Amino acid sequence: MLFSIIIPVYNRPEEMEELLQSLLQLNYSDPFEIVVIEDGSALKSDEIVNKYSKQLAISYYFKENSGPGDSRNFGMQKAKGDYFIIFDSDCIIPKQYLAEVSKALTKDFVDFFGGPDQALDSFSDIQKAINFSMTSFITTGGIRGGSEKLNKFQPRSFNMGISKVAFQASGGFGNIHPGEDPDLTIRLWELGFHSKLIQNAFVYHKRRIDWNKFSIQTNKFGKARPILDSWHPKYSKLTYFFPSIFILGLYGSLVLLLFVQDFLFKLYCFYFLLILIFSTIQNKSIRIGFLSILATGKQFNSYGLGFIISFIKIKLLKQNPQKAFPELFFTK
């Protein structure tokens, strides 16, 4: 099984340096290739790629900007392997990653898989807090941390594998972003392909992001979900409404305080206290614990409000998704 590692990058040469350095240190003896796709960047990574080209089998392609999904498709079309592994450029790969994937696929082959993400000690406090919010089992990020059914896992495109056969049958990623990974997963399921979570195939996801960018990103996640539900109603879940219900309940609890009704507000305070405790223990830092409260609040608020706006426009008003939310779609 020849692995081709597919890496789209946009204006992040410093990330590419860290990612390639981690790939250079993999404990994996079989050949593998790396395909880097520069998605119309002004800050190119070509010099970084050249730096590692004598130590790693790397192909580098520059193309006009058309989004991460189309860039991944471009890379898989150029790749020589029969199994593609997709990373975001802000990932750092543990030494055992390919060995774990190879072992898992050899034992129980599936045509696509996903793995969790973790934080390194070297990450900033904000990055660790956001990682907690996105991965903890007590937030909506639990599904990214590995709590989904092992044999019915929806891979996330920052850490995902897909066979050449499955890619060719499905046509790869669509032009929505974010949301291209669950869309592809559902289409693959409908074609009869099977997925799973490989728990030991985790990556360190650095997420070079600030609070404002995090809010914008999670707001887009919320907007994308009703669009995906309208495309694939069979796979819609009531749990997708949870962040919106949560944030509306929080606002409602603040209103009730004006009428000296504090029971609901106390429940929210207890929940945020749990976040403080769990994050403090996990990260060994009470500062990160408090930042995790902020990160979770921003995640719920941005996602929940985005979901509500999209639900009204897409599900109730039956608007065209690309006209309602052009910022979620790339044109080729």
Side-chain angles (χ1 to χ4, degrees), residues 253 256-269:
S253 73
L256 288 175
L257 282 178
L258 300 176
F259 301 94
V260 201
Q261 300 291 327
D262 63 355
F263 176 73
L264 185 58
F265 180 74
K266 286 180 179 178
L267 287 179
Y268 278 93
C269 288

Side-chain angles (χ1 to χ4, degrees), residues 156-176:
R156 276 71 184 174
S157 52
F158 65 85
N159 178 14
M160 176 181 183
I162 178 173
S163 71
K164 183 177 182 178
V165 172
F167 166 67
Q168 291 177 337
S170 65
F173 294 95
N175 66 334
I176 189 172

Side-chain angles (χ1 to χ4, degrees), residues 57-70:
I58 305 180
S59 301
Y60 174 86
Y61 299 94
F62 182 91
K63 53 179 278 298
E64 293 185 3
N65 179 253
S66 59
D70 188 56

Side-chain angles (χ1 to χ4, degrees), residues 39-88:
D39 189 24
S41 302
L43 298 174
K44 296 182 181 180
S45 300
D46 51 344
E47 292 185 5
I48 299 299
V49 171
N50 287 336
K51 177 180 175 181
Y52 290 87
S53 61
K54 293 182 179 180
Q55 300 162 288
L56 295 167
I58 305 180
S59 301
Y60 174 86
Y61 299 94
F62 182 91
K63 53 179 278 298
E64 293 185 3
N65 179 253
S66 59
D70 188 56
S71 295
R72 298 181 193 113
N73 292 343
F74 181 94
M76 288 186 279
Q77 289 167 353
K78 298 292 185 181
K80 301 180 179 68
D82 49 26
Y83 212 105
F84 309 134
I85 295 178
I86 302 164
F87 296 134
D88 278 357

Side-chain angles (χ1 to χ4, degrees), residues 193-261:
F193 295 105
H194 299 284
S195 65
K196 71 176 179 180
L197 167 68
I198 302 179
Q199 289 180 310
N200 291 332
F202 64 88
V203 300
Y204 300 112
H205 199 184
K206 197 161 189 177
R207 292 191 181 91
R208 298 195 176 178
I209 199 169
D210 56 32
W211 290 124
N212 183 57
K213 290 179 180 178
F214 180 58
S215 295
I216 292 172
Q217 182 186 62
T218 51
N219 183 257
K220 287 183 176 181
F221 288 154
K223 290 177 179 177
R225 177 49 62 184
I227 296 174
L228 296 173
D229 289 347
S230 69
W231 290 350
H232 310 289
K234 176 181 174 182
Y235 296 91
S236 179
K237 297 179 182 179
L238 289 176
T239 51
Y240 296 149
F241 288 83
F242 178 68
S244 299
I245 295 171
F246 179 93
I247 204 64
L248 290 176
L250 178 58
Y251 293 149
S253 73
L254 297 176
V255 173
L256 288 175
L257 282 178
L258 300 176
F259 301 94
V260 201
Q261 300 291 327

